[in-house]
Amino acid sequence: MPFALEHLSFHNGPIELHAVAAGRADAPVVLLLHGFPEFWHSWHKQIEPLASAGFRVIVPDQRGYNTSGKPRGISSYALSHLVSDVLAIADQLSQQRIFLAGHDWGAAVAWSVVLLHPHRVSKLAILNVPHPSVMRRFLKTNRRQLRRSWYMFFFQLPWLPEAAFRAFHFRLGVRSLVRSSREGTFSPDDLEQYRAAWSQRGALTAMIHWYRAAFRHRSRFPDSRVHVPTRILWGERDAFLLADMAHESVRYCDSAELYTFANASHWLQHEEPARVSELLIDFFRA
């Protein structure tokens, strides 16, 4: 890519967060948050287009992932701490307000940032994760969604999820990516990079602790409405999350647009990189 990637370190107390960056240092900041079981590489196809469009692009490895810090204990991965990591990055960039985008767990963090600290985000972009109130309701009332979320309950067990994920050179992790995406979405090089990230000491337990913390440390929001302009992008062939939740999420936003992709899966920014980049650039520039 024309923009050489920079490797940066941020700190939130004792936690060090690795990030890659591109674009002019004085440009408006776009922060991209990855989900499970990825790392910054989740957004590698969007970094150059966003930087070329005039943004300073920051893509962290969230806590517990790849080479970022991996604090002990389930409570270290409660949403309040994950949100504080985003604010710490913005503070160290001297940014009062940022453009924020998230996919999967990164989208859950992004929703939480704007619900708790709306004054810190200029615009919010969400990929394939519903508003937290919608997710909670569907898990309680919708059997189809409950079946799709079986792995969240499996991850509550001690040690067994890590052992299963690690077995046979991370066969379960690779299979979860390959079988739930369009053919050829993840290249052999992509998968090797994921294996290297999962091989980092303590990474698997830290990654799965995000799910354990979600069940044990429920976040409460003073206001369930999103007052920040929001754009939701959703691959309708998501094997994990029902597309109905995307439409329901719009109702929780003062100003929201929904773009659906009929032939894309959960891994939207990998499968439709040009269109996702275009929609992010158009939204953040407007």
Side-chain angles (χ1 to χ4, degrees), residues 50-78:
L50 282 162
S52 295
F55 295 101
R56 176 66 167 167
V57 186
I58 307 292
V59 195
D61 290 329
Q62 297 205 75
R63 70 166 60 193
Y65 284 84
N66 197 29
T67 58
S68 284
K70 301 167 182 64
R72 293 180 178 272
I74 293 171
S75 63
S76 296
Y77 300 89

Side-chain angles (χ1 to χ4, degrees), residues 72-93:
R72 293 180 178 272
I74 293 171
S75 63
S76 296
Y77 300 89
L79 265 171
S80 58
H81 294 304
L82 309 178
V83 168
S84 74
D85 288 341
V86 174
L87 300 182
I89 292 172
D91 288 344
Q92 285 158 59
L93 292 168

Side-chain angles (χ1 to χ4, degrees), residues 37-39 41 66 165-178 186-201 203-204 207:
E38 302 194 86
F39 62 110
H41 187 72
N66 197 29
F165 198 102
R166 183 181 295 109
F168 306 107
H169 197 35
F170 303 103
R171 184 169 67 183
L172 182 62
V174 168
R175 184 179 296 176
S176 71
L177 293 173
V178 172
F186 296 99
S187 69
D189 179 66
D190 290 330
L191 297 174
E192 278 308 305
Q193 291 200 51
Y194 286 115
R195 287 190 182 98
W198 300 334
S199 297
Q200 297 292 323
R201 184 175 181 181
L204 285 185
M207 292 160 57

